[in-house]
Amino acid sequence: MAHVPQTFFDALAVRTWCGLALRALGRAREEIDAINVYPVADGDTGTNLYLTAESAAAAVEAVFEGHDAHGSGKPALADAARAMAHGALIGARGNSGTILAQLLRGMAQVLAADGETAHTDGEGLRLALRHAADSARQAVAHPVEGTVLTVASAAADAAGAAEGDCGTVARAAYDGARTALAATPGQLAVLERAGVVDAGGRGLVAVLGALVETFTGEAPRAVPVMSASSEAGSAEVSADASDECGDAPGTGGPAFEVIYLLEAGDTAVARLRERLDGLGDSLVVVGGDGLWNVHVHVDDAGAAVEAGIEAGRPYRIRITHFGLGDVHTTGAERQPRERAQRAVVAVVPGEGLAGLYTEAGATTVLARPGEPPASGELVEAVRRAHAREVVLLPNDADLRHTAAAAAEQARAEGIRVALIPTRSAVQGIAALAVHEPERRFDEDVVQMTSAAGATRYAEVAVAERQSWTMAGICQAGDVLGLIDGDVAVIGSDVTVTAETVLDRMLSAGGELVTLVLGDEAPEAVADHLETRVRESYLAVDTVVYRGGRQGAVLLIGVE
């Protein structure tokens, strides 16, 4: 990623840093996964950091795209910094990703303190790094030295002693972090036994290296990942290398990792911290202003989720069992599950459709309103499907590039992936209906693609703001009827607008109408539309599904 070195820390610098950090973590991901032995040797620290950074970078890009669309020029530093922090928060994965999210949030609180400031200088960067390290340490229930927290504090200390511009401060922070990273095996016995440095700290050094490159245009030198006392201690490992080290998950710790986003107030979260601290370990709670990311290792995953429910509204709940089978409780090993020949992976916009797709045999990725999945999540779902051949259904025109990137990465891992460019969940339903795993892969893909392409799609939604559309100017609160992605109808009533949209679609013919109702859909809209089809369009069948919180009030498919 060639770029012009930044003089000050402004919105463009935030964007550049996020992109360079994502690239650096992508190159180092396998290496970091391989040295992941603390707090649990589950080999995913690099992946979790990458997914967290990817979510942060995507949020910043969305802010820039929004300003471009409205012709308002470059966003303010505060806008970009807040987007970075929010993206990291909602996309944080694992212990390391959650701490990285808090580090970015701590920086953003300083960078966005004066919302009107266009940029900050070396002094502002020093303050941001200090606040980041302090807030991350406060977010961890029981901080341990020799981890990413130690590396972050060392970076802040070194930056605080530096004088000069952002490039000088960033390089000082990087050098301080690099020195602290090399010392981590002497602080944690588990690292010394494995002969490696801390994986989370190694990831933070990569992120700070990207910060140096942002301001100087030069990438720092390679980072050693083996401890000085190990046989490979003198070797410098490049960002592309992948060392195989680290133990299998141990049997002494909690069995589950529980992560969720939580909407709750400060008082409720304080009580939640106390309760979760009693249930397990590796507790990290980050966030603020009503939105939090909760991470904990426990034996009773249900109790950890119930605690979240008592505190507020938990969602995007992820529960991961460490290791295979019952290895934590019995020490017994289970043979690896054999790969299936073929699987379907689909992005779905609501819990109701997720259940429908799952019943049909698909592996699903839930895309909540305003929270599209990153390519790393799609790759993770392809891996979870555990098949030699995978059909990928993005079900959203805006996800085509994300899905393409995920497909390429999965192919690089030896999985045969076919991407069908479905632009709506109703097209995905049509494709899934003709899916036959027993057919030859190419033939199955052709049939599914044909079924999706023959399905016209529409949605009924409520406008959030005034804007220009293909059908004229809409106001906030207007009901919009979109056909094949373009606004075709502007109305004031959901049922009337939906009927108009359906009539336009059926004027070109059709044999089956699929209706997917969101939680906000009026109770009578499905019955009204079914009656309309039955009375006005002979030989056309209708099927109705409940989509849940899917963003759109109603999805319509005609095939």
Side-chain angles (χ1 to χ4, degrees):
M1 179 188 295
H3 71 282
V4 177
Q6 304 293 303
T7 304
F8 296 103
F9 208 156
D10 59 3
L12 184 57
V14 173
R15 184 189 202 182
T16 302
W17 180 33
C18 286
L20 290 172
L22 184 61
R23 185 179 71 173
L25 289 171
R27 288 178 171 177
R29 181 181 61 80
E30 291 183 357
E31 168 200 303
I32 297 172
D33 282 345
I35 63 171
N36 173 201
V37 297
Y38 182 85
V40 176
D42 49 355
D44 63 358
T45 291
T47 299
N48 288 336
L49 287 169
Y50 178 85
L51 292 174
T52 304
E54 185 178 44
S55 183
V60 174
E61 285 301 316
V63 168
F64 272 83
E65 290 173 3
H67 278 260
D68 287 343
H70 291 88
S72 52
K74 186 176 69 174
L77 171 60
D79 295 333
R82 290 193 190 104
M84 173 184 69
H86 182 73
L89 178 67
I90 65 174
R93 297 296 190 94
N95 186 286
S96 54
T98 308
I99 293 174
L100 176 61
Q102 187 66 3
L103 287 167
L104 296 180
R105 177 179 171 81
M107 290 190 70
Q109 287 175 325
V110 173
L111 298 175
D114 184 351
E116 301 303 317
T117 300
H119 63 260
T120 192
D121 55 12
E123 174 62 20
L125 180 55
R126 282 193 293 271
L127 294 173
L129 290 168
R130 179 78 270 163
H131 187 62
D134 293 344
S135 61
R137 189 171 287 269
Q138 292 167 6
V140 177
H142 302 285
V144 174
E145 297 307 324
T147 66
V148 62
L149 297 177
T150 305
V151 176
S153 293
D157 290 343
E163 294 184 5
D165 60 11
C166 287
T168 302
V169 173
R171 187 169 290 281
Y174 174 81
D175 290 340
R178 195 174 185 275
T179 300
L181 176 67
T184 55
Q187 297 171 292
L188 267 180
V190 65
L191 300 179
E192 188 172 27
R193 286 195 300 270
V196 298
V197 298
D198 178 66
R202 168 65 183 92
L204 179 58
V205 169
V207 172
L208 291 173
L211 187 63
V212 173
E213 189 174 358
T214 297
F215 292 115
T216 68
E218 300 176 0
R221 62 189 185 280
V223 177
V225 298
M226 312 302 290
S227 69
S229 60
S230 71
E231 292 182 3
S234 61
E236 291 272 327
V237 181
S238 72
D240 300 295
S242 175
D243 290 45
E244 293 186 5
C245 53
D247 304 324
T251 60
F256 297 96
E257 177 184 61
V258 178
I259 305 174
Y260 49 79
L261 290 178
L262 177 70
E263 293 178 356
D266 292 358
T267 303
V269 169
R271 291 195 298 268
L272 175 66
R273 288 178 191 269
E274 293 181 6
R275 180 168 179 186
L276 292 180
D277 194 25
L279 288 175
D281 58 30
S282 297
L283 174 61
V284 186
V285 180
V286 304
D289 302 319
L291 180 63
W292 310 81
N293 192 305
V294 179
H295 170 281
V296 67
H297 293 174
V298 293
D299 281 319
D300 189 344
V305 175
E306 289 172 4
I309 293 173
E310 290 181 8
R313 187 179 80 85
Y315 60 100
R316 290 185 71 169
I317 300 168
R318 302 186 187 96
I319 300 175
T320 304
H321 191 291
F322 295 122
L324 292 174
D326 297 320
V327 69
H328 279 272
T329 54
T330 67
E333 293 188 2
R334 187 178 68 188
Q335 291 296 319
R337 179 165 59 97
E338 184 177 352
R339 284 186 179 275
Q341 182 59 34
R342 191 173 308 159
V344 175
V345 172
V347 180
V348 289
E351 294 88 346
L353 281 180
L356 173 66
Y357 272 75
T358 300
E359 287 177 10
T363 298
T364 61
V365 178
L366 190 61
R368 296 183 182 278
E371 299 176 13
S375 63
E377 292 181 79
L378 300 188
V379 174
E380 204 172 65
V382 170
R383 293 175 184 144
R384 194 168 72 244
H386 204 61
R388 298 181 183 89
E389 303 167 339
V390 172
V391 179
L392 181 57
L393 306 175
N395 291 340
D396 186 336
D398 292 335
L399 287 178
R400 61 188 184 279
H401 296 307
T402 301
E408 281 302 313
Q409 184 173 338
R411 291 179 190 123
E413 297 177 7
I415 304 170
R416 190 180 185 188
V417 181
L419 171 61
I420 297 178
T422 48
R423 294 169 289 176
S424 170
V426 292
Q427 288 187 322
I429 291 173
L432 201 54
V434 300
H435 169 56
E436 291 185 14
E438 296 77 20
R439 279 194 296 233
R440 287 190 308 106
F441 185 63
D442 291 339
E443 183 181 348
D444 197 30
V445 171
V446 167
Q447 292 299 322
M448 294 177 72
T449 302
S450 178
T455 303
R456 283 161 286 150
Y457 65 97
E459 67 177 75
V460 176
V462 177
E464 296 181 354
R465 63 184 68 86
Q466 182 188 61
S467 60
W468 291 85
T469 76
M470 297 288 288
I473 301 175
C474 72
Q475 305 296 328
D478 282 349
V479 180
L480 307 180
L482 295 88
I483 299 177
D484 292 337
D486 292 324
V487 176
V489 180
I490 299 175
S492 58
D493 180 83
V494 170
T495 301
V496 174
T497 302
E499 180 179 320
T500 303
V501 168
L502 187 56
D503 284 341
R504 291 195 184 186
M505 296 179 75
L506 286 174
S507 65
E511 299 176 353
L512 175 66
V513 171
T514 299
L515 304 175
V516 182
L517 305 178
D519 282 346
E520 305 302 319
E523 286 295 326
V525 66
D527 290 339
H528 179 86
L529 295 179
E530 283 187 284
T531 300
R532 174 68 176 173
V533 171
R534 184 172 57 251
E535 293 178 349
S536 304
Y537 303 95
L538 299 178
V540 177
D541 295 324
T542 305
V543 60
V544 179
Y545 301 111
R546 292 281 175 179
R549 293 179 64 240
Q550 63 184 24
V553 176
L554 175 68
L555 300 178
I556 304 173
V558 173
E559 51 186 299

